Amino acid sequence: MDYIPGLPILAAFALATLLLAITPGPDMTLWMSRTIRDGRAIGMMTLLGTNLGIGIHTLLVAFGVSALVVASPVAFLVLKTGGAGYLLWLAIQALRNRSVLSVKTTGKTNASMGKAFLNGLWVNLLNPKVIIFFMTFLPQFVSVSDPHVTGKLIFLGLLSILIALPIAIVVVLGANGLADWLKRKPQVMRIVDYVFAAVFSVFAVKILLTQSR
């Protein structure tokens, strides 16, 4: 129980996490785009990938690795360049691969789901804004003099996943329902491709403009 913060802190943390969970970002955009294009199962695997990324970010913050990355100009530049490049690649893919919204039964389901998982993981891990966010958000709810600070940071990071997960699932299910309607509207789907490509591009530019301090 030493690693569990008090009730007032937990309540404030839960509220902040809920507000953040409903705020659109690269992760949410990726869940929706993958779900609309490839179906609910792919969307869920993408969601699992981004959540694993959050878990890894939590551990990095708890053990101080993220601080070292942000403090190193070269490491930070490589990180944000890689993250922005990956989002731009996703934008190009949205434009090149016209969405057909058809259920594929080619025997490549496992590979596709694995790729979706990795897509979610990389988009999350290569986003320096997520590193900076976790470095500034999680420590607000612990005291640096607390002997259990590492354990509490890990607990809060995992708790944030549990709190935000229901909202994320609703987003994926909602996108899947939208996909059913879009199956009958290929012209509209093409517009959606352009919208997602634009959104990914905007997030890529924002990541490139991110400063370490």
Side-chain angles (χ1 to χ4, degrees):
M1 299 297 290
D2 292 332
Y3 299 116
I4 301 178
L7 186 58
I9 293 178
L10 285 178
F13 180 80
L15 178 60
T17 301
L18 283 173
L19 292 175
L20 291 168
I22 62 177
T23 302
D27 288 356
M28 184 182 293
T29 304
L30 187 62
W31 309 334
M32 294 179 64
S33 65
R34 288 295 178 266
T35 302
I36 290 174
R37 193 180 72 182
D38 299 314
R40 180 172 55 192
I42 296 298
M44 287 297 182
M45 287 303 295
T46 307
L47 169 60
L48 289 178
T50 58
N51 276 279
L52 176 59
I54 292 174
I56 293 174
H57 280 303
T58 297
L59 293 176
L60 292 177
V61 170
F63 292 104
V65 178
S66 291
L68 296 178
V69 172
V70 174
S72 170
V74 175
F76 191 78
L77 177 62
V78 170
L79 178 68
K80 72 176 186 178
T81 301
Y86 190 69
L87 285 176
L88 286 175
W89 179 81
L90 290 175
I92 293 172
Q93 292 302 303
L95 295 178
R96 291 181 58 187
N97 301 325
R98 300 180 66 89
S99 299
V100 293
L101 288 178
S102 59
V103 179
K104 300 180 181 179
T105 55
T106 59
K108 299 181 180 179
T109 304
N110 291 334
S112 297
M113 293 182 70
K115 183 178 180 181
F117 180 85
L118 291 176
N119 279 345
L121 177 62
W122 294 131
V123 164
N124 191 275
L125 288 182
L126 294 176
N127 189 346
K129 299 187 73 172
V130 176
I131 292 181
I132 294 175
F133 168 75
F134 269 82
M135 285 182 58
T136 57
F137 178 67
L138 290 181
Q140 293 181 54
F141 300 92
V142 297
S143 172
V144 292
S145 60
D146 192 324
H148 305 290
V149 60
T150 300
K152 286 184 176 179
L153 286 172
I154 294 174
F155 174 82
L156 290 174
L158 297 178
L159 180 61
S160 71
I161 295 176
L162 293 177
I163 292 174
L165 189 58
I167 296 175
I169 291 175
V170 169
V171 170
V172 172
L173 294 179
N176 187 65
L178 178 62
D180 291 336
W181 177 78
L182 288 173
K183 286 179 182 179
R184 303 185 297 272
K185 306 286 184 179
Q187 297 85 358
V188 176
M189 189 58 230
R190 192 53 181 160
I191 295 175
V192 171
D193 288 337
Y194 282 106
V195 170
F196 279 125
V199 172
F200 281 131
S201 298
V202 169
F203 282 129
V205 172
K206 291 178 68 175
I207 285 178
L208 284 175
L209 295 178
T210 300
Q211 301 297 318
S212 60
R213 54 185 179 270

